[in-house]
Amino acid sequence: MRKFFQEIKADLKFKTAGPGQKLSEPSRAPKEKPKAEVAPKPRQAPTDEAQRAAAAALARLELKPKGKAPSSQETIKNQVRKELMAEAAASEKGLSMEEKGQEEGGAAAPSVSGVYFICPLTGAIVRKDQKEKQLREAIQAYYSVDPVAASIMEIHTFNKDREKVQLCVETMAKYLDNIYLHPEEEKYRKIKLQNKVFQERISCLEGTHKFFQAVGFETKTLPVPGQDTTEEFYVLKEEMLNRLEELKDGKEQLQSSEPVRAQLHRQPTLFRPSPAAAHFELPHDFFSLTADELRREQRLRTEAVEKALMLRTRAMREKEEQREMRKYNYTLLRVRFPDGYILQGTFYARESVSVLYNFVREALRDDWLPFELLGPGGLKLTDENLAFNECGLVPSALLSLAWDAELMADVEAAEEQHSPLRPELLAGAQSLS
């Protein structure tokens, strides 16, 4: 096996020999005289036409029948060689981009300013780090409207341990059921606050005391039977015995409610045709790692050449890629239309491809028009149940939209040609820097 790796390394050095070196044994290449460094000419980004042509060519190649497969050892050798060369090229590209950014005197402006959420109670749009504060303020304000509903929202939203919440809700419902089914029994209308079950299952959770007060309980200090001491109890107010249906409604609402979730703001943005469509600069909001951890990850990626010398199977690589994908909570996706316009939106990394299809339909003048989305390399996204991180579409990706050719021909023949995008989106189209 060691000999096998030596052959691969020697073969790579042979293929990447610089000008003036002999293409024989790489270890015997003559030393060159030092030359004055010449600044490399900046490469121009490929045009839209070139990118579409490349994607179409790749798609045609994938449809061609494959020839006879080589021997297993030769297949492994070729695969390893390709992967080593690809990782070396990626490492070199990453370094050159980093150097270019340093020369220009700073990082480029982000493609989106951050990750934003919509409060479902107020409609306010806030940044990710402000969403819980906004929810708390909105629920607190809702106490003046419906204190029972507000306390239930607090219980389900701010207690993160779902198992504890479920046990709490079941115990509280049992207290209320006993009162509703046996209103004449005074013992069911009193809840001892120092009771072990009450303390362990209910009192320790946020919002529970507010709920009992909202449905008609009040705190009273009562003597303990047979003792000279007193203890605190929740006691149902006498007038609530005539409003037992309200008590039942509160219990059912408590059992059926779900946490209040801030909705991810898609930040839909339309850009005019641009050769920079595939260039992304993401803010730290898109990553589950801290800024320091991200910088460490970037440094580790520069060591990809050493890591690539280890033989890894395809399964090992896919497993490693999946681990990488888990670092991302969000993804920024762009869809390029045939006329060059680019639609951009923010998504959860674990959302399904069907969400992106719906997002695009909402941007169309006629949402019934059939289309397909093509991922990087021209591959069709046919399985809409797959998550973005399972498709490799994180933390950002540029996709292409393709219309149904026959239908579009009929549409163009029957009507005047106009953009398929909604007029209000077109009116707000921006330039992509």
Side-chain angles (χ1 to χ4, degrees):
M1 182 62 73
R2 181 179 300 173
K3 182 179 179 183
F4 174 63
F5 282 119
Q6 291 174 349
E7 289 179 4
I8 295 174
K9 292 172 66 177
D11 192 12
L12 282 175
K13 292 180 179 179
F14 175 77
K15 289 182 178 294
T16 57
Q21 292 181 324
K22 294 181 181 180
L23 300 180
S24 56
E25 294 295 328
S27 59
R28 299 178 183 177
K31 296 183 179 178
E32 290 185 337
K33 296 180 179 180
K35 296 181 181 180
E37 293 186 0
V38 179
K41 295 182 179 180
R43 295 183 179 179
Q44 295 183 348
T47 63
D48 289 354
E49 293 77 7
Q51 293 184 25
R52 287 196 290 269
L58 181 58
R60 288 196 299 272
L61 286 174
E62 290 169 349
L63 295 175
K64 289 184 179 180
K66 298 180 180 179
K68 184 178 179 181
S71 64
S72 59
Q73 185 167 351
E74 186 65 23
T75 301
I76 295 174
K77 187 174 181 179
N78 290 336
Q79 181 66 23
V80 173
R81 182 182 293 110
K82 288 179 183 178
E83 291 174 352
L84 291 174
M85 294 180 71
E87 289 192 12
S91 177
E92 181 182 353
K93 181 180 179 181
L95 289 173
S96 63
M97 290 296 292
E98 184 178 352
E99 291 170 358
K100 181 179 178 182
Q102 292 174 354
E103 289 174 1
E104 292 175 353
S111 302
V112 65
S113 60
V115 177
Y116 290 82
F117 287 84
I118 305 172
C119 176
L121 299 177
T122 64
I125 298 174
V126 296
R127 286 196 69 135
K128 181 178 70 172
D129 56 356
Q130 295 293 315
K131 67 175 181 176
E132 183 164 343
K133 178 184 176 184
Q134 175 65 29
L135 283 176
R136 284 188 178 277
E137 292 176 353
I139 291 175
Q140 187 63 37
Y142 202 71
Y143 272 100
S144 62
V145 179
D146 187 342
V148 175
S151 62
I152 291 173
M153 285 189 282
E154 192 170 337
I155 292 170
H156 283 280
T157 303
F158 301 126
N159 297 295
K160 305 304 181 183
D161 190 326
R162 300 310 303 164
E163 292 183 1
K164 286 186 176 180
V165 171
Q166 182 63 30
L167 184 59
C168 169
V169 168
E170 290 174 357
T171 308
M172 294 171 72
K174 186 65 175 177
Y175 282 133
L176 301 182
D177 267 338
N178 286 336
I179 297 173
Y180 183 78
L181 296 174
H182 309 284
E184 71 285 353
E185 294 283 346
E186 184 181 356
K187 64 179 181 179
Y188 291 130
R189 304 199 300 268
K190 295 189 297 184
I191 302 173
K192 185 178 178 181
L193 298 187
Q194 295 304 315
N195 178 275
K196 183 179 180 182
V197 172
F198 186 87
Q199 286 291 318
E200 293 179 353
R201 297 185 183 182
I202 298 175
S203 185
C204 57
L205 270 65
E206 188 172 348
T208 53
H209 291 279
K210 293 178 182 178
F211 173 80
F212 279 110
Q213 294 165 8
V215 296
F217 284 84
E218 59 183 348
T219 305
K220 285 189 176 182
T221 302
L222 301 176
V224 179
Q227 299 181 19
D228 294 334
T229 58
T230 59
E231 289 194 62
E232 288 193 336
F233 289 80
Y234 271 145
V235 180
L236 188 68
K237 297 176 182 178
E238 288 292 333
E239 62 265 27
M240 291 304 300
L241 293 176
N242 299 321
R243 297 157 57 187
L244 291 177
E245 288 302 321
E246 293 181 21
L247 204 65
K248 181 182 177 183
D249 291 343
K251 182 208 74 170
E252 293 174 350
Q253 188 178 350
L254 175 68
Q255 291 176 308
S256 61
S257 292
E258 295 288 336
V260 179
R261 304 292 189 196
Q263 302 165 0
L264 179 65
H265 186 27
R266 302 290 182 202
Q267 302 180 72
T269 308
L270 187 68
F271 294 107
R272 301 182 187 91
S274 170
H279 179 69
F280 293 87
E281 291 288 343
L282 300 177
H284 294 312
D285 289 0
F286 273 72
F287 306 94
S288 57
L289 301 179
T290 64
D292 291 337
E293 289 171 331
L294 280 174
R295 283 191 285 270
R296 178 177 175 273
E297 288 293 329
Q298 290 170 351
R299 287 197 302 270
L300 290 176
R301 287 194 186 100
T302 62
E303 302 170 4
V305 176
E306 295 179 8
K307 185 178 180 181
L309 295 177
M310 181 177 64
L311 178 62
R312 289 171 289 166
T313 65
R314 181 182 297 273
M316 292 169 64
R317 280 188 167 277
E318 290 176 351
K319 201 174 269 189
E320 183 174 326
E321 288 171 0
Q322 286 299 320
R323 285 197 298 269
E324 287 288 316
M325 295 303 175
R326 294 191 193 101
K327 296 176 182 176
Y328 309 114
N329 288 330
Y330 311 96
T331 183
L332 187 66
L333 299 179
R334 290 174 181 165
V335 177
R336 180 159 48 197
F337 285 72
D339 59 3
Y341 275 89
I342 304 153
L343 179 65
Q344 175 179 284
T346 303
F347 302 85
Y348 286 110
R350 294 173 180 83
E351 285 188 285
S352 64
V353 172
S354 61
V355 174
L356 179 60
Y357 271 89
N358 291 334
F359 176 72
V360 174
R361 288 189 188 98
E362 291 173 359
L364 298 179
R365 186 193 299 261
D366 300 310
D367 59 5
W368 56 268
L369 289 174
F371 62 88
E372 291 180 324
L373 293 178
L374 309 179
L379 298 177
K380 294 181 181 179
L381 300 180
T382 55
D383 189 350
E384 296 188 24
N385 293 320
L386 286 177
F388 294 128
N389 56 2
E390 294 175 325
C391 303
L393 301 178
V394 293
S396 60
L398 173 64
L399 302 95
S400 299
L401 181 143
W403 301 112
D404 180 274
E406 295 182 1
L407 181 60
M408 287 307 298
D410 294 339
V411 171
E412 291 174 359
E415 303 177 1
E416 294 183 4
Q417 294 187 12
H418 56 73
S419 174
L421 292 162
R422 294 204 326 259
E424 58 268 29
L425 269 177
L426 287 169
Q430 305 176 19
S431 296
L432 186 61
S433 56

